[in-house]
Amino acid sequence: MVEELGYAPDGSGEHLFVEIEKRGENTLDVAAELARRAGIRPRDVGFAGLKDRNAVTRQYFSLHLPGREDPPVEQWQRPGIEVLSTKRHSRKIQRGRLRGNRFELVVRELEAEREALEDRLGKVARHGVPNRFGEQRFGGNNVARAYRLFRGELRRAPSKRKRGFYLSAARSLIFNRLLDVRIAEGTWNRAMDGEIVMLDGTRSTFAAEAGDPDIRRRVAEQDLHPTGPLVGEGGEAPTDEAGRLEAKVIEAHSELAEGLRRFRLSADRRPLRMRVLDLEWRFESDDVLVLSFALRSGCYATTVLRELVEYTEGSERDETPEE
């Protein structure tokens, strides 16, 4: 997986961008190691998102080094961490601020009828897939921990980082439950009455008239996507048919929703559909399929894969990509 920031370091400034390829390494642990080696505070290391430990991934880190020479970053390489490039920039890398990620996945021991699978691949390329939060978002039992947090049952207060995981898992669950209902009703990829739609590739949303022929066309072309809730305080909410359905799902998870609001999370919207960009595939043999594609920030490669094949991962994941 290769991270795409959407911009390049400009060559000068207080922040040193370090491009790293890592294998079997946790993003947070790599950031902490860079801070220690550079002699700076962990908060002075920036990165855009958390990447899977159990993959070969490339991403950028920024080191805040005002008035200092570049440290010998290339000498910090070790098994699992390779420094690919370094360059100065005027600003720190901000969490969640990236264009997206590019993936290459290898599916082995494949048992499928090739013609049917290629037909499905073509449909995914043309129409996208449900934008489900992947299993790595939930970390095994983060939803259960969110319930305990909201009930005051945790023996000790979690760190800010862990609390963030619990809260994210709670509202990801509510989003996925609404998406499940929309899939069952066949409305995950079309606008309902009262829908809040999002412009593809942006965070821009607006209320849409489902009967408007232009809206229907733009949704069919993946220029607009119907959205679901990231529950919190305030924010836009759908009305009419879409609003009633969403309210019903949130009410069914009222304990989680009320807990999220008590922790003062700001409400947001997330597309119900994921656009799969530049999808290409090849069969290296009858039982090995190689997939290549790009996704917007906050989308999951495993979500694409589950729409194509039933699969088992080689090892458990423990991290969550940032939105």
Side-chain angles (χ1 to χ4, degrees), residues 304-322:
V304 178
L305 191 60
R306 68 178 291 169
E307 295 299 314
L308 297 169
V309 296
E310 294 182 5
Y311 70 94
T312 301
E313 293 188 69
S315 54
E316 290 188 11
R317 299 175 181 271
D318 69 344
E319 294 191 70
T320 304
E322 287 296 301

PDB file of all heavy atoms in Angstrom, residues 304-322:
ATOM      1  N   VAL A 304     -13.369  -3.728  -0.337  1.00  0.00           N
ATOM      2  CA  VAL A 304     -13.424  -4.059  -1.762  1.00  0.00           C
ATOM      3  C   VAL A 304     -13.295  -5.566  -1.946  1.00  0.00           C
ATOM      4  O   VAL A 304     -14.056  -6.190  -2.694  1.00  0.00           O
ATOM      5  CB  VAL A 304     -12.305  -3.330  -2.531  1.00  0.00           C
ATOM      6  CG1 VAL A 304     -12.324  -3.721  -4.007  1.00  0.00           C
ATOM      7  CG2 VAL A 304     -12.445  -1.823  -2.383  1.00  0.00           C
ATOM      8  N   LEU A 305     -12.347  -6.154  -1.244  1.00  0.00           N
ATOM      9  CA  LEU A 305     -12.074  -7.578  -1.411  1.00  0.00           C
ATOM     10  C   LEU A 305     -13.292  -8.429  -1.049  1.00  0.00           C
ATOM     11  O   LEU A 305     -13.601  -9.411  -1.737  1.00  0.00           O
ATOM     12  CB  LEU A 305     -10.866  -7.970  -0.552  1.00  0.00           C
ATOM     13  CG  LEU A 305     -10.267  -9.349  -0.791  1.00  0.00           C
ATOM     14  CD1 LEU A 305      -9.791  -9.495  -2.225  1.00  0.00           C
ATOM     15  CD2 LEU A 305      -9.109  -9.590   0.180  1.00  0.00           C
ATOM     16  N   ARG A 306     -14.004  -8.056   0.006  1.00  0.00           N
ATOM     17  CA  ARG A 306     -15.141  -8.871   0.446  1.00  0.00           C
ATOM     18  C   ARG A 306     -16.283  -8.855  -0.563  1.00  0.00           C
ATOM     19  O   ARG A 306     -17.155  -9.731  -0.530  1.00  0.00           O
ATOM     20  CB  ARG A 306     -15.645  -8.418   1.821  1.00  0.00           C
ATOM     21  CG  ARG A 306     -16.298  -7.070   1.853  1.00  0.00           C
ATOM     22  CD  ARG A 306     -16.802  -6.742   3.251  1.00  0.00           C
ATOM     23  NE  ARG A 306     -17.921  -7.594   3.614  1.00  0.00           N
ATOM     24  CZ  ARG A 306     -18.422  -7.677   4.837  1.00  0.00           C
ATOM     25  NH1 ARG A 306     -17.872  -7.002   5.819  1.00  0.00           N
ATOM     26  NH2 ARG A 306     -19.454  -8.449   5.079  1.00  0.00           N
ATOM     27  N   GLU A 307     -16.302  -7.843  -1.455  1.00  0.00           N
ATOM     28  CA  GLU A 307     -17.319  -7.796  -2.504  1.00  0.00           C
ATOM     29  C   GLU A 307     -16.974  -8.703  -3.678  1.00  0.00           C
ATOM     30  O   GLU A 307     -17.793  -8.899  -4.574  1.00  0.00           O
ATOM     31  CB  GLU A 307     -17.499  -6.359  -2.998  1.00  0.00           C
ATOM     32  CG  GLU A 307     -18.041  -5.413  -1.951  1.00  0.00           C
ATOM     33  CD  GLU A 307     -19.414  -5.811  -1.450  1.00  0.00           C
ATOM     34  OE1 GLU A 307     -20.283  -6.128  -2.292  1.00  0.00           O
ATOM     35  OE2 GLU A 307     -19.626  -5.810  -0.219  1.00  0.00           O
ATOM     36  N   LEU A 308     -15.767  -9.242  -3.669  1.00  0.00           N
ATOM     37  CA  LEU A 308     -15.309 -10.055  -4.791  1.00  0.00           C
ATOM     38  C   LEU A 308     -15.171 -11.530  -4.436  1.00  0.00           C
ATOM     39  O   LEU A 308     -15.539 -12.396  -5.230  1.00  0.00           O
ATOM     40  CB  LEU A 308     -13.957  -9.524  -5.284  1.00  0.00           C
ATOM     41  CG  LEU A 308     -13.964  -8.098  -5.834  1.00  0.00           C
ATOM     42  CD1 LEU A 308     -12.533  -7.613  -6.035  1.00  0.00           C
ATOM     43  CD2 LEU A 308     -14.743  -8.027  -7.136  1.00  0.00           C
ATOM     44  N   VAL A 309     -14.617 -11.818  -3.275  1.00  0.00           N
ATOM     45  CA  VAL A 309     -14.347 -13.198  -2.891  1.00  0.00           C
ATOM     46  C   VAL A 309     -14.576 -13.371  -1.396  1.00  0.00           C
ATOM     47  O   VAL A 309     -14.582 -12.404  -0.633  1.00  0.00           O
ATOM     48  CB  VAL A 309     -12.883 -13.599  -3.222  1.00  0.00           C
ATOM     49  CG1 VAL A 309     -12.628 -13.573  -4.715  1.00  0.00           C
ATOM     50  CG2 VAL A 309     -11.890 -12.699  -2.488  1.00  0.00           C
ATOM     51  N   GLU A 310     -14.774 -14.613  -0.982  1.00  0.00           N
ATOM     52  CA  GLU A 310     -14.721 -14.947   0.438  1.00  0.00           C
ATOM     53  C   GLU A 310     -13.262 -15.225   0.760  1.00  0.00           C
ATOM     54  O   GLU A 310     -12.616 -16.007   0.072  1.00  0.00           O
ATOM     55  CB  GLU A 310     -15.583 -16.167   0.745  1.00  0.00           C
ATOM     56  CG  GLU A 310     -17.074 -15.935   0.529  1.00  0.00           C
ATOM     57  CD  GLU A 310     -17.896 -17.150   0.895  1.00  0.00           C
ATOM     58  OE1 GLU A 310     -17.313 -18.133   1.408  1.00  0.00           O
ATOM     59  OE2 GLU A 310     -19.116 -17.124   0.657  1.00  0.00           O
ATOM     60  N   TYR A 311     -12.763 -14.584   1.800  1.00  0.00           N
ATOM     61  CA  TYR A 311     -11.329 -14.677   2.041  1.00  0.00           C
ATOM     62  C   TYR A 311     -11.028 -14.832   3.523  1.00  0.00           C
ATOM     63  O   TYR A 311     -11.839 -14.522   4.391  1.00  0.00           O
ATOM     64  CB  TYR A 311     -10.616 -13.432   1.510  1.00  0.00           C
ATOM     65  CG  TYR A 311     -10.899 -12.175   2.294  1.00  0.00           C
ATOM     66  CD1 TYR A 311     -10.057 -11.763   3.325  1.00  0.00           C
ATOM     67  CD2 TYR A 311     -12.018 -11.401   2.030  1.00  0.00           C
ATOM     68  CE1 TYR A 311     -10.317 -10.626   4.059  1.00  0.00           C
ATOM     69  CE2 TYR A 311     -12.296 -10.257   2.755  1.00  0.00           C
ATOM     70  CZ  TYR A 311     -11.443  -9.870   3.765  1.00  0.00           C
ATOM     71  OH  TYR A 311     -11.715  -8.746   4.498  1.00  0.00           O
ATOM     72  N   THR A 312      -9.813 -15.301   3.776  1.00  0.00           N
ATOM     73  CA  THR A 312      -9.270 -15.369   5.128  1.00  0.00           C
ATOM     74  C   THR A 312      -7.937 -14.655   5.109  1.00  0.00           C
ATOM     75  O   THR A 312      -7.087 -14.929   4.244  1.00  0.00           O
ATOM     76  CB  THR A 312      -9.052 -16.824   5.584  1.00  0.00           C
ATOM     77  OG1 THR A 312     -10.306 -17.510   5.541  1.00  0.00           O
ATOM     78  CG2 THR A 312      -8.495 -16.859   7.003  1.00  0.00           C
ATOM     79  N   GLU A 313      -7.747 -13.727   6.051  1.00  0.00           N
ATOM     80  CA  GLU A 313      -6.472 -13.014   6.117  1.00  0.00           C
ATOM     81  C   GLU A 313      -5.417 -13.896   6.761  1.00  0.00           C
ATOM     82  O   GLU A 313      -5.701 -14.725   7.623  1.00  0.00           O
ATOM     83  CB  GLU A 313      -6.626 -11.732   6.928  1.00  0.00           C
ATOM     84  CG  GLU A 313      -7.521 -10.710   6.264  1.00  0.00           C
ATOM     85  CD  GLU A 313      -7.477  -9.395   7.006  1.00  0.00           C
ATOM     86  OE1 GLU A 313      -6.421  -8.751   6.954  1.00  0.00           O
ATOM     87  OE2 GLU A 313      -8.479  -9.036   7.617  1.00  0.00           O
ATOM     88  N   GLY A 314      -4.177 -13.656   6.355  1.00  0.00           N
ATOM     89  CA  GLY A 314      -3.078 -14.448   6.889  1.00  0.00           C
ATOM     90  C   GLY A 314      -2.810 -14.178   8.351  1.00  0.00           C
ATOM     91  O   GLY A 314      -2.292 -15.014   9.058  1.00  0.00           O
ATOM     92  N   SER A 315      -3.141 -12.980   8.829  1.00  0.00           N
ATOM     93  CA  SER A 315      -2.916 -12.630  10.236  1.00  0.00           C
ATOM     94  C   SER A 315      -3.853 -11.517  10.615  1.00  0.00           C
ATOM     95  O   SER A 315      -4.409 -10.827   9.780  1.00  0.00           O
ATOM     96  CB  SER A 315      -1.464 -12.172  10.441  1.00  0.00           C
ATOM     97  OG  SER A 315      -1.144 -11.129   9.553  1.00  0.00           O
ATOM     98  N   GLU A 316      -4.080 -11.345  11.912  1.00  0.00           N
ATOM     99  CA  GLU A 316      -4.997 -10.318  12.382  1.00  0.00           C
ATOM    100  C   GLU A 316      -4.410  -8.939  12.168  1.00  0.00           C
ATOM    101  O   GLU A 316      -3.215  -8.731  12.260  1.00  0.00           O
ATOM    102  CB  GLU A 316      -5.285 -10.510  13.882  1.00  0.00           C
ATOM    103  CG  GLU A 316      -6.112 -11.737  14.181  1.00  0.00           C
ATOM    104  CD  GLU A 316      -6.527 -11.768  15.634  1.00  0.00           C
ATOM    105  OE1 GLU A 316      -6.334 -10.745  16.318  1.00  0.00           O
ATOM    106  OE2 GLU A 316      -7.036 -12.803  16.076  1.00  0.00           O
ATOM    107  N   ARG A 317      -5.305  -7.967  11.906  1.00  0.00           N
ATOM    108  CA  ARG A 317      -4.892  -6.571  11.784  1.00  0.00           C
ATOM    109  C   ARG A 317      -5.162  -5.887  13.101  1.00  0.00           C
ATOM    110  O   ARG A 317      -6.067  -6.237  13.830  1.00  0.00           O
ATOM    111  CB  ARG A 317      -5.681  -5.885  10.655  1.00  0.00           C
ATOM    112  CG  ARG A 317      -5.440  -6.542   9.298  1.00  0.00           C
ATOM    113  CD  ARG A 317      -6.331  -5.897   8.255  1.00  0.00           C
ATOM    114  NE  ARG A 317      -6.132  -6.537   6.968  1.00  0.00           N
ATOM    115  CZ  ARG A 317      -5.235  -6.165   6.090  1.00  0.00           C
ATOM    116  NH1 ARG A 317      -4.448  -5.145   6.354  1.00  0.00           N
ATOM    117  NH2 ARG A 317      -5.106  -6.794   4.938  1.00  0.00           N
ATOM    118  N   ASP A 318      -4.394  -4.848  13.381  1.00  0.00           N
ATOM    119  CA  ASP A 318      -4.571  -4.174  14.666  1.00  0.00           C
ATOM    120  C   ASP A 318      -4.649  -2.671  14.539  1.00  0.00           C
ATOM    121  O   ASP A 318      -4.563  -1.980  15.530  1.00  0.00           O
ATOM    122  CB  ASP A 318      -3.442  -4.572  15.624  1.00  0.00           C
ATOM    123  CG  ASP A 318      -2.102  -3.999  15.184  1.00  0.00           C
ATOM    124  OD1 ASP A 318      -1.944  -3.568  14.049  1.00  0.00           O
ATOM    125  OD2 ASP A 318      -1.205  -4.017  16.038  1.00  0.00           O
ATOM    126  N   GLU A 319      -4.797  -2.156  13.317  1.00  0.00           N
ATOM    127  CA  GLU A 319      -4.811  -0.708  13.174  1.00  0.00           C
ATOM    128  C   GLU A 319      -5.972  -0.271  12.300  1.00  0.00           C
ATOM    129  O   GLU A 319      -6.566  -1.061  11.592  1.00  0.00           O
ATOM    130  CB  GLU A 319      -3.506  -0.205  12.565  1.00  0.00           C
ATOM    131  CG  GLU A 319      -2.320  -0.419  13.460  1.00  0.00           C
ATOM    132  CD  GLU A 319      -1.118   0.320  12.941  1.00  0.00           C
ATOM    133  OE1 GLU A 319      -1.120   1.562  12.995  1.00  0.00           O
ATOM    134  OE2 GLU A 319      -0.180  -0.318  12.479  1.00  0.00           O
ATOM    135  N   THR A 320      -6.257   1.005  12.351  1.00  0.00           N
ATOM    136  CA  THR A 320      -7.367   1.584  11.639  1.00  0.00           C
ATOM    137  C   THR A 320      -6.908   2.747  10.796  1.00  0.00           C
ATOM    138  O   THR A 320      -6.347   3.693  11.327  1.00  0.00           O
ATOM    139  CB  THR A 320      -8.424   2.100  12.642  1.00  0.00           C
ATOM    140  OG1 THR A 320      -8.806   1.030  13.488  1.00  0.00           O
ATOM    141  CG2 THR A 320      -9.637   2.634  11.908  1.00  0.00           C
ATOM    142  N   PRO A 321      -7.142   2.732   9.473  1.00  0.00           N
ATOM    143  CA  PRO A 321      -6.802   3.891   8.669  1.00  0.00           C
ATOM    144  C   PRO A 321      -7.582   5.109   9.120  1.00  0.00           C
ATOM    145  O   PRO A 321      -8.733   5.019   9.506  1.00  0.00           O
ATOM    146  CB  PRO A 321      -7.208   3.477   7.252  1.00  0.00           C
ATOM    147  CG  PRO A 321      -7.188   1.992   7.280  1.00  0.00           C
ATOM    148  CD  PRO A 321      -7.614   1.613   8.665  1.00  0.00           C
ATOM    149  N   GLU A 322      -6.935   6.269   9.037  1.00  0.00           N
ATOM    150  CA  GLU A 322      -7.589   7.509   9.427  1.00  0.00           C
ATOM    151  C   GLU A 322      -8.538   7.977   8.351  1.00  0.00           C
ATOM    152  O   GLU A 322      -8.345   7.734   7.187  1.00  0.00           O
ATOM    153  CB  GLU A 322      -6.524   8.597   9.648  1.00  0.00           C
ATOM    154  CG  GLU A 322      -5.735   8.393  10.898  1.00  0.00           C
ATOM    155  CD  GLU A 322      -6.571   8.486  12.141  1.00  0.00           C
ATOM    156  OE1 GLU A 322      -7.182   9.528  12.367  1.00  0.00           O
ATOM    157  OE2 GLU A 322      -6.597   7.519  12.886  1.00  0.00           O
TER     158      GLU A 322
END
